[in-house]
Amino acid sequence: MSINRIVVAGTGSGVGKTTVAIGLMAAYKAKGYTVQGFKCGPDYIDPTYQTAVTGRKSRNLDSWMCSDLAVKEIFVRGCQGADVAIIEGAMGLFDGKDPLSDTGSAAEIAEITNSPVLLVVDCGGMARSAAAIVKGFQTFSPAIRLCGVVANRVGSVGHYELVRKAVEKECGIPVIGYLSKDDRLCMPERHLGLVPSIERGELKPFFDLLSETIRNNFDLDRLYQMMGSEKIESPSILFGTQKKQEGKVRIAVAMDEAFHFYYPENLELLEYYGADLVFFSPLNGERVSPDVQGLYIGGGFPEEFAASLSAQEDVLMSVREAIQSGMPTVAECGGFMFLSESIETVGGVVYPLVGMIPGKVKMHTKLAALGYREVTGMDKNFLIGPNDRARGHEFHYSTFESSRAITPSYITTGLRGMKHEGFLLNNLVAGYTHLHFASAPVLARRWVEQCTMFKNGVCERL
């Protein structure tokens, strides 16, 4: 497959790479291109912007959670039918899992996908010094092709010209555009109501302004010619070459403003191994369908909608009954919180929830956990056993306090060592960790097989 592609990376966090990446997606779409967005790393929020702008499901490219070949396959699958692929980096270009290597960084994604890099530099308060910064990034790794620069937060056209002349003379690569110091061009606050705001169209004026500004201030035709377009081959290691299996079981998937954090490959692998996915909205009063054999409740923002979720008594009962029936259920982060006895908000208000997990969740104003996780399972965990390995990510502002002794679902290993995590009971596997099934596709196959056993009456009730 051949597609024009580029990685939009920054010198660090907060320099404007998300604004530039989203703006480029909007601008190329306005020019008539079909644009596919990607995000380096495990982030769920930026892909939400990308999906809203491009009209195509954004995908994560993570070279720590997934192998190089898996990353290539995810990239190639995501690009089907697109003209342009724009890959947004994370943190700085060379920042990832390991301070001594490019593992998990945007630089490694650029190398795997054979994509050149467009570097976003915050030029506020500097001119010629911008060239020194670019030169450092340009020479840091011979495997990375820095093809161009974006000057962000310039004070005027004259300021931009000073930066452009210095960078092009000293570094020999073009500065293809700029953005001014303009509060209207700052990405909206990534508040927890982001998704419903996008779905209601409230951010469309911002996207339109950004698109128009990029088209006026960037040489988009030149950038298109600078993009990588070499053919990229991808062996089918995740989805194989066999025909997708159809209709073995039906798995209910919670999908609404409160629950929407799913890696697309997790859902697609379940479908590949024979699951029909049935989407339902707990927030809008939709019960678990009686004709499903599995239940998937992903992450999201249940704490933001705790009052509404708590009021959906029929929904809470249907979820309890499904789990009590022995239905193979996986709940991640927000889903784990939803299945607890209650959520206590930062303001101290307590909302009763499903109550299948004995304990309560308490929200905090600061992050309670953040980082990659190497995951192994526990005995009797149908999804991942003690001899299995998978990878995932943890990110949440809450803590869980159990009301009695519980059996954890996983043993996770992260930067701060090893810990027991989650809750395991019969066919319920729940925890804070978001597992990426592309790191261990056997998990999807095993889940479908367990749902088949449940369908055939083999699984025990609680």
Side-chain angles (χ1 to χ4, degrees), residues 251-254 280 288 293-297 319 322-323 327-330 447:
I251 296 178
V253 181
F280 75 107
V288 178
Q293 296 82 42
L295 178 59
Y296 193 3
I297 309 177
V319 172
I323 295 171
M327 184 180 296
T329 300
V330 175
W447 190 357

Side-chain angles (χ1 to χ4, degrees), residues 20-309:
V20 172
I22 295 295
L24 287 173
M25 292 176 197
Y28 279 115
K29 185 179 179 184
K31 287 172 68 70
Y33 292 96
T34 299
V35 183
Q36 175 62 44
F38 294 93
K39 172 66 180 180
C40 296
D43 177 35
Y44 285 105
I45 301 298
D46 288 343
T48 307
Y49 284 109
Q50 295 181 8
T51 297
V53 169
T54 65
R56 292 170 61 96
K57 186 70 176 178
S58 173
R59 294 170 184 267
N60 297 78
L61 300 177
D62 193 299
S63 55
W64 185 82
M65 289 197 293
C66 304
S67 69
D68 291 5
L69 292 178
V71 169
K72 281 189 178 183
E73 185 172 356
I74 291 169
F75 179 73
V76 170
R77 281 173 56 86
C79 287
Q80 296 300 319
D83 304 311
V84 179
I86 296 175
I87 306 168
E88 180 192 343
M91 299 182 289
L93 172 59
F94 297 103
D95 298 321
K97 179 70 167 62
D98 182 359
L100 301 180
S101 74
D102 290 343
T103 302
S105 68
E108 187 170 46
I109 295 298
E111 188 173 358
I112 292 170
T113 61
N114 195 15
S115 302
V117 174
L118 179 66
L119 186 68
V120 181
V121 181
D122 185 341
C123 295
M126 69 174 73
R128 179 172 164 79
S129 294
I133 293 172
V134 173
K135 177 69 77 173
F137 276 82
Q138 189 179 35
T139 58
F140 188 78
S141 173
I144 303 305
R145 293 179 290 151
L146 209 64
C147 69
V149 173
V150 172
N152 193 25
R153 296 188 67 246
V154 299
S156 64
V157 174
H159 180 194
Y160 164 67
E161 283 298 321
L162 293 176
V163 172
R164 183 188 64 79
K165 290 175 182 177
V167 170
E168 292 184 351
K169 177 179 183 297
E170 299 298 335
C171 305
I173 56 175
V175 181
I176 61 97
Y178 70 94
L179 291 175
S180 303
K181 295 177 182 177
D182 186 342
D183 290 341
R184 298 177 305 159
L185 298 179
C186 293
M187 291 297 290
E189 181 67 26
R190 298 181 200 189
H191 53 82
L192 296 186
L194 166 66
V195 172
S197 295
I198 287 179
E199 291 178 348
R200 289 194 298 263
E202 294 169 7
L203 296 181
K204 186 177 184 302
F206 170 74
F207 293 149
D208 291 343
L209 173 64
L210 192 53
S211 170
E212 181 181 1
T213 304
I214 293 280
R215 281 180 282 149
N216 290 336
N217 296 357
F218 282 58
D219 190 341
L220 293 175
D221 292 335
R222 186 178 187 185
L223 178 59
Y224 185 82
Q225 295 302 319
M226 290 160 44
M227 291 182 181
S229 59
E230 299 85 357
K231 188 174 183 180
I232 180 169
E233 300 289 349
S234 168
S236 298
I237 65 167
L238 298 179
F239 295 88
T241 56
Q242 70 202 53
K243 183 179 178 182
K244 171 182 165 182
Q245 301 182 53
E246 300 288 349
K248 281 185 174 181
V249 294
R250 290 161 58 85
I251 296 178
V253 181
M255 184 69 75
D256 54 27
E257 293 94 333
F259 306 102
H260 56 271
F261 289 173
Y262 299 93
Y263 294 116
E265 293 73 32
N266 283 22
L267 302 178
E268 291 165 0
L269 281 165
L270 288 172
E271 291 177 319
Y272 177 74
Y273 285 110
D276 289 334
L277 303 183
V278 180
F279 297 99
F280 75 107
S281 171
L283 189 59
N284 292 313
E286 296 177 3
R287 296 166 51 92
V288 178
S289 174
D291 63 347
V292 299
Q293 296 82 42
L295 178 59
Y296 193 3
I297 309 177
F301 306 127
E303 67 274 21
E304 285 295 296
F305 303 96
S308 297
L309 290 169

Side-chain angles (χ1 to χ4, degrees), residues 373-386:
R373 300 289 184 263
E374 188 96 44
V375 181
T376 61
M378 307 293 288
D379 285 329
K380 298 183 180 179
N381 182 330
F382 75 83
L383 187 71
I384 177 171

Side-chain angles (χ1 to χ4, degrees), residues 303-317:
E303 67 274 21
E304 285 295 296
F305 303 96
S308 297
L309 290 169
S310 183
Q312 300 288 356
E313 294 182 4
D314 288 347
V315 174
L316 302 182
M317 182 180 296

